[in-house]
Amino acid sequence: LRDNRIELVRASWHELSISVSDVSLSDEGQYTCSLFTMPVKTSKAFLTVLGVPEKPQITGFTSPVMEGERMQLTCKTSGSKPAADIRWFKNDKEVKDVKYVKEEDATRKTFTVSSTLDFLADRSDDGAVVSCRVDHESLNSTPQIAMQVLEIHYTPLVKIISSNSWPEEGQSIILTCESKGKPVPEPVLWTKDGGELPDPERMVVNGRVLSISFLNKTDNGTYRCEAKNPIGRNSTEYVLIVHDVFNTLLPTTVIPSLTTATVTTNVALTASTTTSATATSIRDPNALAGQTGPDHALIGGIVAVVVFVTLCSIILLGRYLARHKGTYLTNEAKGAEDAPDADTAIINAEGSQVNAEEKKEYFI
C-alpha cells in the first residue's frame, strides 16, 4: 500500500496495524495481511465505505402562493451509498402521499435520491413549516433536514360577532366584524339593507366595530360587513331584530259584589239586584314595566249598577201610578151633578147620605 493517507501504526513480530485517513469510496475493497513463513500465512478482510448523503435542498417554492394553486415541492440529495431515505413533514406531522425517485450517480457507486410533495395551497397552510428529512446509516441517527416556511395569500374571511343576543328597545348593541386575510384586509365597510347607515348619530363606526345606541324598531334590518385585500373581497351579514321591552303581567283585581238597591212606594214593593264585576288588568305593550293606570273596569261596573238601579226605580214608579189612575168625587160634588145651584146641591148631598152605606166603595 503506497498512499500518503495510509500510515503504519504498529509493527512487530506479532502485530501489524495501519490507519487510513480521509476515507473515500475508492478505499473500499479487500485488504490482505500476509505473514511470510514457510508456508506463507494470510488473512483477508473486506472494507465497505458508506457514501454520506449531501445536505438536502427543497426546490419548487415561489413566494407568495395564491390559495387554490397547486404546489410541487422537491427534496433532493446526492452521494448516498446505499440510497438514502427521504421523509416529508408538515408542522411535525408526517405526510405519506409523496413520490420517491432513486438514481445512480455517474461513478455507479452512489445514488441521488429525490422526493416530490404535491398539494393544493390552502389558507390553513399559511405559515406552516414544511420539512424534508434525510435518514441514512452513515449519519449516526442524526438526520439531515431542510425546511421551508409556506406563505399563502387568500381573500379575507369575514365574521360578525354581536354583543347582545336579545336586543330590546332602548338598549345598545355592538357588532364586531372580524376579518382575516393575507395581505391584511383594508378597513371594513358597513351597510344596512344594501345602503348607507341611515342614522350616523346613533350608528357609529370605529374601525371594524359598529355601535348602535337607543335601539328602536326602525333599526331592524340586515347589516353587511365587507372586507377586501389585493386578492379579493368577501362579506357577511347579520340580521338585527329589536324586541319589545319585556313587561311583567300585573296581578288580577277582583271587584266585590255591589250592594242591593230597594225602591218603596205606598204599595210595599222591593226591587233587588246584585252585580259583580271582575276586571283583569291587561298589559299595555307601549307602557313600561311596573307602571299601573286607573282601574277602568271598576269604574265602569259602578256606573252600570247606578244606571240599572235608576231605571228600575222609574219602572216601578210608573207601574204604581198606572194602577191608581181615575177620578174621585167628594160628597158635595156628588149632589151637585144635577142641582141648578149650590143650595140645591147641598140638600141633594144630604139626602143622598141615606143610602150612603149602599154606595161605599172599597179599594183593595
Side-chain angles (χ1 to χ4, degrees), residues 24 30 49 57 78 110 113 147 183 185 190 195 201 217 227 259 283-284 310-311 314 348 353:
S24 64
Q30 182 173 284
V49 179
Q57 293 182 348
S78 301
T110 58
V113 181
M147 294 186 298
W190 283 98
E201 294 184 358
K217 291 299 182 66
T259 56
R283 184 179 68 179
D284 184 357
T310 303
L311 291 177
I314 294 174
N348 291 340
Q353 291 179 359

Short mmCIF file of all heavy atoms in Angstrom, two decimals, residues 24 30 49 57 78 110 113 147 183 185 190 195 201 217 227 259 283-284 310-311 314 348 353:
data_model
loop_
_atom_site.label_atom_id
_atom_site.label_comp_id
_atom_site.label_asym_id
_atom_site.label_seq_id
_atom_site.Cartn_x
_atom_site.Cartn_y
_atom_site.Cartn_z
N SER A 24 -12.27 7.61 1.36
CA SER A 24 -13.11 7.86 0.18
C SER A 24 -13.66 6.53 -0.32
O SER A 24 -13.28 5.45 0.15
CB SER A 24 -12.28 8.54 -0.93
OG SER A 24 -11.24 7.70 -1.38
N GLN A 30 -10.96 -5.26 -0.78
CA GLN A 30 -10.44 -6.34 0.07
C GLN A 30 -9.00 -6.05 0.46
O GLN A 30 -8.14 -5.78 -0.39
CB GLN A 30 -10.54 -7.66 -0.69
CG GLN A 30 -10.06 -8.85 0.12
CD GLN A 30 -10.33 -10.15 -0.59
OE1 GLN A 30 -11.46 -10.61 -0.61
NE2 GLN A 30 -9.28 -10.75 -1.17
N VAL A 49 -17.15 1.08 2.34
CA VAL A 49 -17.20 2.52 2.60
C VAL A 49 -18.61 3.02 2.29
O VAL A 49 -19.15 2.79 1.19
CB VAL A 49 -16.18 3.28 1.75
CG1 VAL A 49 -16.27 4.78 2.02
CG2 VAL A 49 -14.78 2.77 2.03
N GLN A 57 -31.91 19.77 -0.27
CA GLN A 57 -32.42 21.08 -0.66
C GLN A 57 -33.85 20.94 -1.16
O GLN A 57 -34.18 19.95 -1.84
CB GLN A 57 -31.53 21.71 -1.75
CG GLN A 57 -30.15 22.07 -1.28
CD GLN A 57 -29.34 22.74 -2.37
OE1 GLN A 57 -29.72 22.74 -3.54
NE2 GLN A 57 -28.19 23.32 -2.00
N SER A 78 -27.74 13.92 -2.90
CA SER A 78 -26.86 13.07 -3.73
C SER A 78 -25.73 12.50 -2.88
O SER A 78 -25.46 12.95 -1.76
CB SER A 78 -26.25 13.88 -4.89
OG SER A 78 -27.26 14.43 -5.70
N THR A 110 -22.57 5.63 -5.98
CA THR A 110 -23.50 6.35 -5.08
C THR A 110 -24.83 6.61 -5.79
O THR A 110 -24.96 6.35 -7.00
CB THR A 110 -22.88 7.69 -4.65
OG1 THR A 110 -22.60 8.48 -5.82
CG2 THR A 110 -21.62 7.47 -3.83
N VAL A 113 -31.10 10.74 -4.66
CA VAL A 113 -32.49 10.44 -4.28
C VAL A 113 -33.28 11.74 -4.25
O VAL A 113 -32.80 12.76 -3.73
CB VAL A 113 -32.54 9.74 -2.91
CG1 VAL A 113 -33.97 9.40 -2.53
CG2 VAL A 113 -31.68 8.47 -2.94
N MET A 147 -35.79 22.85 5.57
CA MET A 147 -37.11 23.38 5.93
C MET A 147 -37.51 24.53 5.01
O MET A 147 -36.67 25.25 4.48
CB MET A 147 -37.12 23.85 7.39
CG MET A 147 -36.95 22.73 8.40
SD MET A 147 -37.14 23.32 10.11
CE MET A 147 -35.79 24.48 10.21
N PRO A 183 -52.75 39.46 1.88
CA PRO A 183 -52.35 40.51 2.82
C PRO A 183 -53.50 40.96 3.74
O PRO A 183 -54.66 40.65 3.50
CB PRO A 183 -51.92 41.65 1.90
CG PRO A 183 -51.68 41.01 0.57
CD PRO A 183 -52.62 39.86 0.49
N PRO A 185 -56.49 42.71 5.32
CA PRO A 185 -57.57 43.44 4.65
C PRO A 185 -57.58 44.92 5.01
O PRO A 185 -57.12 45.33 6.09
CB PRO A 185 -58.84 42.73 5.16
CG PRO A 185 -58.38 41.41 5.65
CD PRO A 185 -56.99 41.62 6.16
N TRP A 190 -69.36 49.04 6.34
CA TRP A 190 -70.64 48.65 6.93
C TRP A 190 -71.79 49.25 6.12
O TRP A 190 -71.75 50.43 5.75
CB TRP A 190 -70.76 49.15 8.38
CG TRP A 190 -70.00 48.35 9.38
CD1 TRP A 190 -68.77 48.62 9.90
CD2 TRP A 190 -70.42 47.13 10.00
NE1 TRP A 190 -68.40 47.66 10.80
CE2 TRP A 190 -69.39 46.72 10.88
CE3 TRP A 190 -71.57 46.34 9.90
CZ2 TRP A 190 -69.48 45.58 11.66
CZ3 TRP A 190 -71.65 45.19 10.67
CH2 TRP A 190 -70.62 44.82 11.53
N GLY A 195 -77.70 49.78 1.59
CA GLY A 195 -77.38 51.21 1.51
C GLY A 195 -76.55 51.67 2.69
O GLY A 195 -76.13 50.87 3.53
N GLU A 201 -75.74 59.45 13.71
CA GLU A 201 -75.60 59.93 15.08
C GLU A 201 -75.67 58.79 16.08
O GLU A 201 -74.98 58.78 17.09
CB GLU A 201 -76.67 60.98 15.38
CG GLU A 201 -76.51 62.26 14.56
CD GLU A 201 -77.55 63.30 14.95
OE1 GLU A 201 -78.39 62.99 15.84
OE2 GLU A 201 -77.52 64.41 14.39
N LYS A 217 -87.49 50.06 16.70
CA LYS A 217 -87.93 49.14 15.65
C LYS A 217 -87.42 49.56 14.26
O LYS A 217 -87.33 48.73 13.36
CB LYS A 217 -89.45 49.04 15.64
CG LYS A 217 -90.03 48.33 16.86
CD LYS A 217 -89.52 46.91 16.92
CE LYS A 217 -90.11 46.14 18.09
NZ LYS A 217 -91.54 45.92 17.97
N ALA A 227 -65.09 43.17 3.58
CA ALA A 227 -63.65 43.38 3.69
C ALA A 227 -62.99 42.96 2.38
O ALA A 227 -63.45 42.02 1.72
CB ALA A 227 -63.06 42.59 4.85
N THR A 259 -123.86 46.56 46.43
CA THR A 259 -124.98 46.49 47.38
C THR A 259 -126.31 46.43 46.66
O THR A 259 -126.44 46.77 45.49
CB THR A 259 -124.98 47.72 48.31
OG1 THR A 259 -125.02 48.89 47.47
CG2 THR A 259 -123.69 47.78 49.12
N ARG A 283 -101.92 43.96 29.91
CA ARG A 283 -100.63 44.63 29.71
C ARG A 283 -100.68 45.49 28.48
O ARG A 283 -101.08 45.05 27.41
CB ARG A 283 -99.49 43.58 29.58
CG ARG A 283 -98.11 44.20 29.46
CD ARG A 283 -97.05 43.14 29.37
NE ARG A 283 -97.18 42.44 28.09
CZ ARG A 283 -96.38 41.47 27.71
NH1 ARG A 283 -95.43 41.08 28.51
NH2 ARG A 283 -96.55 40.88 26.55
N ASP A 284 -100.24 46.73 28.66
CA ASP A 284 -100.14 47.67 27.54
C ASP A 284 -98.75 47.53 26.96
O ASP A 284 -97.75 47.76 27.62
CB ASP A 284 -100.35 49.10 28.04
CG ASP A 284 -100.36 50.09 26.89
OD1 ASP A 284 -100.13 49.64 25.74
OD2 ASP A 284 -100.57 51.29 27.15
N THR A 310 -131.40 53.10 38.77
CA THR A 310 -132.24 54.26 38.39
C THR A 310 -133.36 53.83 37.46
O THR A 310 -134.54 54.23 37.61
CB THR A 310 -131.38 55.33 37.72
OG1 THR A 310 -130.33 55.70 38.62
CG2 THR A 310 -132.20 56.56 37.37
N LEU A 311 -133.05 53.00 36.47
CA LEU A 311 -134.08 52.51 35.55
C LEU A 311 -135.13 51.69 36.27
O LEU A 311 -136.33 51.79 35.99
CB LEU A 311 -133.42 51.69 34.44
CG LEU A 311 -132.54 52.47 33.45
CD1 LEU A 311 -131.89 51.51 32.46
CD2 LEU A 311 -133.38 53.51 32.71
N ILE A 314 -137.55 54.01 38.10
CA ILE A 314 -138.51 54.67 37.19
C ILE A 314 -139.60 53.71 36.76
O ILE A 314 -140.79 54.06 36.72
CB ILE A 314 -137.75 55.24 35.97
CG1 ILE A 314 -136.80 56.36 36.42
CG2 ILE A 314 -138.71 55.76 34.92
CD1 ILE A 314 -135.89 56.88 35.33
N ASN A 348 -179.32 68.00 48.12
CA ASN A 348 -179.27 66.69 47.45
C ASN A 348 -178.19 65.82 48.05
O ASN A 348 -178.34 64.62 48.20
CB ASN A 348 -179.00 66.88 45.96
CG ASN A 348 -180.21 67.51 45.24
OD1 ASN A 348 -181.36 67.47 45.75
ND2 ASN A 348 -179.96 68.10 44.08
N GLN A 353 -177.22 60.85 51.59
CA GLN A 353 -176.48 60.11 52.61
C GLN A 353 -177.32 59.01 53.22
O GLN A 353 -176.84 58.22 54.00
CB GLN A 353 -176.00 61.08 53.72
CG GLN A 353 -174.93 62.04 53.23
CD GLN A 353 -174.49 63.01 54.32
OE1 GLN A 353 -175.02 62.95 55.45
NE2 GLN A 353 -173.54 63.88 53.97
#
